[in-house]
Amino acid sequence: MNIIYVDNNATTRVDPAVMEAMMPFYTVKYGNPSSMHAFGGNVAEDIRHAREQLAALINASPQEIIFTSCGTESDSTAIWATISSLPDKKHIITSRVEHPAVKNLYEHLAKKGYKITTVPVDRQGRLDLDYFHDHLTDDTALISIMWANNETGVIFPMDVISTAARERGIVLHTDAVQAIGKIPVDVQKNPVDLLSLSGHKIHAPKGVGALYVRKGTKFTPFLIGGHQENGRRGGTENVAAIVGLGKAAMLASENLGDTQAAVARLRDRLEQGLLSRVQNAMVNGDTDSRLPNTTSISFEYIEGESILLMMNEFGICASSGSACTSGSLEPSHVLRAMGIPYTAAHGSIRFSLSHYNTEEEMDFIIEHMPPIIDRLRQLSPFWRQGKPVETMLTGAECPI
Ligand code: PLP
């Protein structure tokens, strides 16, 4: 069966050019960059080159990049490094829609006595900036707010957030795992202090990430061990993956303009096609400030998990905004924070595209989704005779 992969916020296909750049480091250039002999030592040059390529993508200097194993490690490192460097400050401000890589760590820190303020979002997933400004205090150790949301694609105003952080002298961390490679991210224009990113979201392999640490930012290593990464992260470097991340970063900066605009056109074609063919469907999130590749669509009165299973029969791979794997069948914390009604949040599907997608694939999805939604609604207790049950039970249409 042909696979139609529209789950690129979960992970991406490794670019063939990235794969090619990595291969020698498994076969002929397998030395340890810390070795004294030239066979190993020369590999350090390749890491240096990858560091330059990655730094260029975000307009940083290479010395400000630390390679890690994933976005989660970058997030944890940024957060632990900051609070260990500022032991007297016990307040952290974050948002209600962070990825679990950040959210669950703050829940853990709350149990350890930290005061965690979570800034709400509105129905469009936009950050409540008044609330944000009002809750910055002299005790705030860290502002930690994602650049773009993984479920809805909504982009947060990093210019406003970084200005506030600068004015108050508060350390600013951003989880830019979803923003990188999709929109311009420039750490000079938007002066964040710490920025997390992950290789497998930008067509590099899984198991590599990076943390940007602005020069002068107080930093305590999270992984303490060898002297690698200038003493800031112990552990033998994942050389092949680091080289792959460097190459992917270079390709991502080449692809930012026209390629991302083309991805946005595909996304819009899909979105409009589905909204015009399926009743009681709506887009979640601010469509004016959104990643070019992402759309979260709620198909009301049915279950996202069932939709995914039926899409799977056609080889269409996407994600849902409910988490029935947890056994709770609760919609995601992101959609709940936005105040999306349960009947809509439960039936939400995230489509996340890449430049590997085609118009034909979008048309295939547009053709196959409406019958899937129809079939599931026929089984739904909330849907009767082509309408939601609640409509039938209110006003003039009430059958009783
Ligand atoms: N932050 C965001 C916004 C993400 O979307 C993800 C992964 O989905 C992560 C962090 C974690 O990244 P990794 O899978 O590399 O640990």
Side-chain angles (χ1 to χ4, degrees):
M1 186 174 30
N2 241 358
I3 292 296
I4 297 187
Y5 189 78
V6 280
D7 203 11
N8 287 275
N9 287 8
T11 198
T12 59
R13 167 185 170 181
V14 175
D15 190 299
V18 169
M19 198 61 208
E20 200 186 323
M22 289 171 55
M23 281 313 283
F25 298 91
Y26 292 115
T27 50
V28 288
K29 291 182 94 176
Y30 54 83
N32 187 327
S34 300
S35 294
M36 286 305 288
H37 48 75
F39 178 67
N42 286 347
V43 171
E45 264 304 291
D46 298 288
I47 293 184
R48 189 187 58 73
H49 182 55
R51 205 183 300 281
E52 281 171 5
Q53 288 173 314
L54 186 57
L57 177 64
I58 59 170
N59 198 14
S61 73
Q63 300 74 25
E64 294 173 312
I65 301 292
I66 301 175
F67 288 114
T68 65
S69 66
C70 58
T72 304
E73 186 192 324
S74 303
D75 283 334
S76 270
T77 304
I79 295 162
W80 285 112
T82 307
I83 60 175
S84 325
S85 306
L86 299 167
D88 297 335
K89 299 201 173 195
K90 295 289 176 209
H91 177 232
I92 296 169
I93 186 158
T94 182
S95 85
R96 283 194 196 163
V97 295
E98 296 296 314
H99 186 272
V102 166
K103 176 179 174 282
N104 291 348
L105 178 51
Y106 288 134
E107 282 169 13
H108 172 78
L109 290 175
K111 289 189 198 129
K112 301 266 171 217
Y114 277 86
K115 182 175 183 309
I116 311 291
T117 301
T118 55
V119 181
V121 295
D122 68 9
R123 183 63 190 263
Q124 262 65 53
R126 291 174 299 215
L127 204 65
D128 183 336
L129 287 172
D130 289 336
Y131 191 101
F132 166 69
H133 284 113
D134 290 349
H135 286 80
L136 298 174
T137 72
D138 292 341
D139 189 40
T140 308
L142 177 64
I143 299 169
S144 177
I145 293 187
M146 67 198 327
W147 201 305
N149 185 267
N150 45 300
E151 289 190 29
T152 59
V154 171
I155 301 166
F156 283 157
M158 210 39 70
D159 51 344
V160 178
I161 297 166
S162 57
T163 304
R166 273 287 157 102
E167 279 169 10
R168 304 282 303 230
I170 302 172
V171 177
L172 170 59
H173 162 244
T174 185
D175 176 337
V177 165
Q178 293 294 345
I180 292 291
K182 295 171 188 157
I183 53 170
V185 168
D186 183 325
V187 295
Q188 307 310 329
K189 274 200 195 127
N190 295 299
V192 300
D193 300 303
L194 300 144
L195 177 147
S196 313
L197 63 91
S198 175
H200 72 110
K201 312 288 182 177
I202 62 164
H203 306 283
K206 295 161 191 64
V208 66
L211 177 65
Y212 158 79
V213 184
R214 179 177 295 279
K215 191 166 176 277
T217 306
K218 285 196 180 133
F219 185 83
T220 310
F222 176 54
L223 274 193
I224 298 172
H227 59 273
Q228 292 90 351
E229 297 299 291
N230 242 333
R232 293 178 299 178
R233 193 241 185 212
T236 302
E237 298 88 340
N238 183 354
V239 179
I242 288 172
V243 168
L245 177 53
K247 181 77 180 179
M250 202 196 82
L251 296 172
S253 60
E254 283 171 12
N255 282 339
L256 264 182
D258 291 349
T259 308
Q260 288 304 323
V263 171
R265 280 196 296 279
L266 286 180
R267 188 269 317 269
D268 294 346
R269 182 186 185 99
L270 175 66
E271 195 171 87
Q272 282 148 21
L274 291 176
L275 294 183
S276 63
R277 283 169 183 77
V278 181
Q279 57 171 321
N280 291 85
M282 62 187 197
V283 173
N284 301 311
D286 181 8
T287 51
D288 292 333
S289 179
R290 196 168 47 146
L291 295 174
N293 77 322
T294 308
T295 179
S296 160
I297 304 184
S298 280
F299 301 98
E300 288 182 285
Y301 309 108
I302 49 177
E303 270 299 329
E305 306 290 320
S306 328
I307 307 173
L308 284 185
L309 283 177
M310 292 184 73
M311 288 165 71
N312 190 49
E313 287 175 20
F314 293 98
I316 308 169
C317 309
S319 284
S320 80
S322 58
C324 99
T325 40
S326 66
S328 65
L329 271 178
E330 280 287 296
S332 82
H333 70 283
V334 175
L335 300 179
R336 274 184 290 149
M338 290 164 67
I340 307 290
Y342 264 55
T343 46
H346 270 295
S348 79
I349 299 291
R350 177 190 70 185
F351 300 91
S352 48
L353 282 55
S354 81
H355 60 275
Y356 288 113
N357 289 120
T358 62
E359 279 189 4
E360 289 70 37
E361 288 180 333
M362 298 306 105
D363 294 344
F364 183 90
I365 302 174
I366 293 167
E367 184 192 332
H368 287 84
M369 285 297 285
I372 290 176
I373 306 299
D374 271 354
R375 261 168 69 196
L376 290 172
R377 281 187 177 153
Q378 278 162 24
L379 302 172
S380 166
F382 302 108
W383 193 265
R384 289 282 176 281
Q385 295 158 11
K387 288 193 213 111
V389 169
E390 63 184 16
T391 317
M392 294 173 67
L393 297 179
T394 52
E397 281 187 284
C398 180
I400 306 165

